[in-house]
Amino acid sequence: MTFFVRMFLNIRMRRPCLAANWKMNKTIPEALEFVHSFLPSVSGIHDADIVLAPPFTPLFAIAEKLAGTEVKLAAQNVFYEEKGAFTGEVSPVMLRDAGCEYVIVGHSERRQYFHESDEIINRKIKASLKSGLRVIFCIGESLSERETGKTFEVLAGQIRNGLRDVDGEGLIVAYEPVWAIGTGKTATPEQAQEAHSYIRSRLREVFAGRADTIRILYGGSVTPENIDRLMACPDVDGGLVGGASLKSESFERIVKFKRG
Ligand code: PGA
């Protein structure tokens, strides 16, 4: 079926992906409590990828609970070397070992507070994909960049530099406008669709036809109230959810967004 026929019939081209980014929240008991109430509530969902990204410490304990379910585990960060004298860092192989299938790379908080450059992010993406992790690669403009009309230029640069020599297999992109993260100011569905469609056009330059299979998630103040409208956009293939993913019922509603 061609792209246009699918669009016309309103059939999703790409499997939705909803990922919970807990950031630096939840102890091991709190994380396990979430999983305990969340898992039964989403056990009937088979048409979307559901991903939890806790901090490092609860990863292994959660992996044991997720075994045999369709809910997958992600880390929020990774280092690009395999092993060695890199105090405080965790390698892609170690994340696989702890039960992760995904990793978030290039989140704006890592770019801002930990000075991660496009070059570092590129190395992390390549090392992660090589070890078999799926990568959720975050990009997005700041408020001043948007206000000065630089949104597309910023996104194009992050894509060009972040994805240099990257093979698209296992890659997911998350568009997270920095001004929408944790602020309660969500991009409108029109703003999200415009950015996602631009991102897809840039991905076509890098990956040609494969770009149509790469999922682009929206992140930035996603809530149970706005998820349905965002997911109705043709190029929004899922969400990367921070604050609203910390409560099981709230993330459950997001995962149960209105289909078709
Ligand atoms: P938010 O965070 O949903 O709390 O805005 C999203 C993110 O930073 O991934």
Side-chain angles (χ1 to χ4, degrees):
M1 216 184 292
T2 70
F3 178 77
F4 292 105
V5 174
R6 278 173 189 265
M7 286 276 290
F8 181 69
L9 295 174
N10 198 14
I11 296 172
R12 280 195 173 276
M13 291 264 298
R14 296 162 287 268
R15 184 176 164 85
C17 175
L18 291 308
N21 174 11
W22 288 352
K23 310 192 178 187
M24 201 172 72
N25 292 292
K26 293 194 192 294
T27 59
I28 296 171
E30 286 166 351
L32 289 173
E33 195 186 313
F34 178 106
V35 171
H36 184 73
S37 57
F38 182 68
L39 277 184
S41 69
V42 298
S43 62
I45 298 177
H46 307 292
D47 64 349
D49 291 337
I50 306 170
V51 182
L52 300 180
F56 284 130
T57 44
L59 281 177
F60 185 63
I62 295 186
E64 290 188 321
K65 300 287 179 207
L66 298 188
T69 77
E70 288 192 40
V71 179
K72 305 299 180 199
L73 194 59
Q76 300 171 16
N77 184 29
V78 65
F79 192 55
Y80 46 75
E81 296 289 349
E82 208 169 291
K83 59 180 168 182
F86 303 102
T87 303
E89 294 298 324
V90 176
S91 74
V93 174
M94 290 166 177
L95 293 182
R96 293 289 310 256
D97 190 37
C100 292
E101 284 187 34
Y102 293 75
V103 62
I104 298 171
V105 177
H107 191 280
S108 65
E109 286 150 18
R110 301 234 32 108
R111 293 177 189 259
Q112 184 183 348
Y113 303 129
F114 305 97
H115 312 294
E116 286 192 14
S117 63
D118 286 342
E119 198 220 329
I120 289 174
I121 290 163
N122 176 252
R123 292 177 78 170
K124 290 185 173 193
I125 293 174
K126 284 192 284 197
S128 299
L129 290 174
K130 193 169 152 221
S131 78
L133 287 165
R134 291 175 196 274
V135 170
I136 301 176
F137 166 45
C138 302
I139 57 176
E141 81 288 359
S142 67
L143 184 59
S144 66
E145 287 162 345
R146 175 163 281 263
E147 286 177 345
T148 51
K150 297 208 180 92
T151 298
F152 288 171
E153 192 187 314
V154 169
L155 296 176
Q158 289 172 336
I159 290 170
R160 188 175 53 247
N161 299 323
L163 297 182
R164 187 159 281 145
D165 302 323
V166 167
D167 178 349
E169 183 72 39
L171 182 75
I172 295 172
V173 176
Y175 169 60
E176 298 209 308
V178 179
W179 48 272
I181 296 179
T183 58
K185 269 197 227 161
T186 326
T188 62
E190 293 73 26
Q191 285 172 321
Q193 173 55 28
E194 183 190 38
H196 283 226
S197 137
Y198 177 77
I199 291 166
R200 197 169 306 286
S201 70
R202 294 281 75 78
L203 291 177
R204 281 200 193 100
E205 286 184 356
V206 184
F207 301 118
R210 183 181 275 185
D212 286 322
T213 67
I214 295 177
R215 288 168 296 176
I216 307 176
L217 317 185
Y218 169 78
S221 298
V222 172
T223 63
E225 289 72 40
N226 60 31
I227 187 67
D228 295 341
R229 271 174 288 135
L230 289 162
M231 289 302 288
C233 302
D235 282 293
V236 175
D237 307 312
L240 180 56
V241 189
S245 74
L246 290 170
K247 288 217 169 72
S248 170
E249 316 80 66
S250 159
F251 190 51
E252 174 194 341
R253 171 62 185 88
I254 288 169
V255 168
K256 292 181 176 168
F257 70 91
K258 192 163 161 276
R259 270 49 171 182

